[in-house]
Amino acid sequence: MIASTELKQIAPGVHVWAPNSVDTWGLANCTLIHSEGNALVVDTPYTPALTETFLTAARQTTGSEVPLSTIVTTHANGDHTWGSQCLPGADIIATHAALEHQCLEPTPQQLYALVHDTDPDQPLGWYFRLHFGKFNFQDIHVQAPTTTFTGRHDLTVGKIPVELHEVGPAHTVGDLFVHLPEQRVVLAGDIVFAGDHPCHWAGPLERVAAACEQILELDPQWIVPGHGPILAPDGLRSHISYLDDLADQALLMHGQGKTAIEAAHILIGEDRYPDLGLPERLAITLATEFRHLSGDDRRPDLVGLVDHAARIAWSKASGRTLAS
Ligand SMILES: [Zn+2]
């Protein structure tokens, strides 16, 4: 349906599985690092079926004798981690904060219910079916990380040095990015989205932008975002400008007493970011930003946030207006 059956080599030993993920949720870029009979997988897809597609392509690259027994998880969202069960016994490396965050995520069973047991004629049910109906969330058993760290963790894959840099809270509380200094590649996870608006759950935007700046300072040739096309440094610079502008707009409108939803409607109405898909995600990221601006540290209602986004997308798709 959606997934590439091939890996794209972007540097020696670095092979990216990049599904066509613009204008939709849940299709994460995953990467195979392979050198001298050793291999490392960075992130796994959302479902076992998608993961088998990725792993089949990976094994075609490595040969079947190379074990795929180490996974790095960039953060604890399901679309980057739920395929881990397809490599039973693998060492799963993540930040300690990602391990703690995992228990706050919606479960596969809850997502299944949101796709199948909601009203398809209401925004939330319509939106979940549109963006998540293509995934089979049955028979997923979420795997916890087996190796966790804080700050920095280094390893090697054959001859390839691999640095893991903790940068959360930013997109989530437990983010890391992967730096391959000799390949001049950074695997950014959801610190970076390309093509679509990001949805940041932890924030604030200042920390996401700072993590992007940290990536640029490493002078990579290629940056692999969590979703969307691979970027050169100029693409990441443009993304930082977007993040900075969004933070400025949030500060301005929060100061004017507007709600995050009102701010999202205004920016979408202005068509302020015409090149990015899924503008309804502004409702989520701005809600995150407004919580920081208000000093509100209560746990957000994740489904409620997606419901706001769904209402915006529903209005746009149907021409109907809903009270927000
Ligand atoms: Zn994510």
Side-chain angles (χ1 to χ4, degrees):
M1 59 185 164
I2 32 187
S4 166
T5 53
E6 293 182 1
L7 303 183
K8 177 182 169 67
Q9 182 167 340
I10 60 168
V14 185
H15 308 264
V16 181
W17 185 76
N20 181 15
S21 60
V22 174
D23 255 343
T24 192
W25 289 66
L27 290 169
N29 294 324
C30 301
T31 301
L32 168 74
I33 302 168
H34 174 224
S35 169
E36 300 201 322
N38 295 277
L40 171 71
V41 169
V42 178
D43 285 343
T44 55
Y46 221 164
T47 65
L50 276 174
T51 304
E52 289 303 339
T53 309
F54 168 51
L55 294 179
T56 298
R59 289 189 178 109
Q60 280 167 4
T61 300
T62 61
S64 56
E65 71 283 1
V66 173
L68 300 176
S69 56
T70 310
I71 300 168
V72 167
T73 294
T74 58
H75 63 292
N77 286 154
D79 54 339
H80 296 256
T81 62
W82 285 354
S84 299
Q85 71 183 53
C86 297
L87 294 173
D91 185 19
I92 303 173
I93 305 172
T95 66
H96 191 67
L99 171 63
E100 295 191 338
H101 172 218
Q102 195 176 47
C103 59
L104 304 178
E105 281 282 289
T107 64
Q109 294 74 24
Q110 286 168 331
L111 265 186
Y112 181 88
L114 284 162
V115 172
H116 296 278
D117 300 341
T118 45
D119 183 346
D121 296 322
Q122 288 298 311
L124 189 71
W126 167 79
Y127 197 72
F128 267 99
R129 282 167 178 78
L130 177 67
H131 287 293
F132 298 89
K134 58 186 170 291
F135 302 113
N136 181 358
F137 293 118
Q138 289 177 302
D139 301 322
I140 294 175
H141 308 285
V142 178
Q143 308 293 303
T146 49
T147 299
T148 62
F149 71 97
T150 54
R152 169 88 179 260
H153 184 79
D154 288 8
L155 57 154
T156 55
V157 178
K159 285 195 163 173
I160 300 179
V162 178
E163 304 169 358
L164 310 183
H165 296 255
E166 181 177 26
V167 288
H171 168 66
T172 65
V173 294
D175 308 293
L176 65 82
F177 69 72
V178 181
H179 178 218
L180 308 173
E182 292 184 5
Q183 274 65 22
R184 295 186 62 207
V185 168
V186 168
L187 313 173
D190 283 357
I191 292 299
V192 181
F193 283 69
D196 288 327
H197 284 270
C199 50
H200 293 308
W201 308 100
L205 287 167
E206 187 180 27
R207 283 192 61 91
V208 182
C212 293
E213 295 281 5
Q214 193 179 331
I215 291 171
L216 275 183
E217 282 166 17
L218 296 168
D219 193 26
Q221 189 170 18
W222 298 113
I223 301 104
V224 180
H227 301 262
I230 295 163
L231 299 177
D234 273 350
L236 185 54
R237 285 188 196 99
S238 300
H239 190 62
I240 293 170
S241 300
Y242 157 86
L243 293 169
D244 289 345
D245 184 68
L246 188 56
D248 288 347
Q249 293 301 313
L251 182 64
L252 180 71
M253 287 193 266
H254 182 269
Q256 293 168 343
K258 295 188 168 58
T259 66
I261 305 303
E262 288 167 347
H265 278 285
I266 289 168
L267 295 180
I268 292 168
E270 290 175 355
D271 200 15
R272 191 173 182 88
Y273 312 108
D275 298 333
L276 296 178
L278 303 178
E280 63 272 18
R281 282 180 171 170
L282 283 168
I284 296 170
T285 298
L286 285 170
T288 300
E289 191 71 1
F290 274 46
R291 281 199 308 279
H292 284 282
L293 290 167
S294 300
D296 178 357
D297 56 8
R298 285 171 297 175
R299 264 178 59 192
D301 166 16
L302 300 183
V303 174
L305 289 176
V306 178
D307 187 40
H308 284 305
R311 285 168 178 270
I312 291 171
W314 164 279
S315 300
K316 190 174 158 209
S318 66
R320 282 182 267 185
T321 312
L322 284 166
S324 55

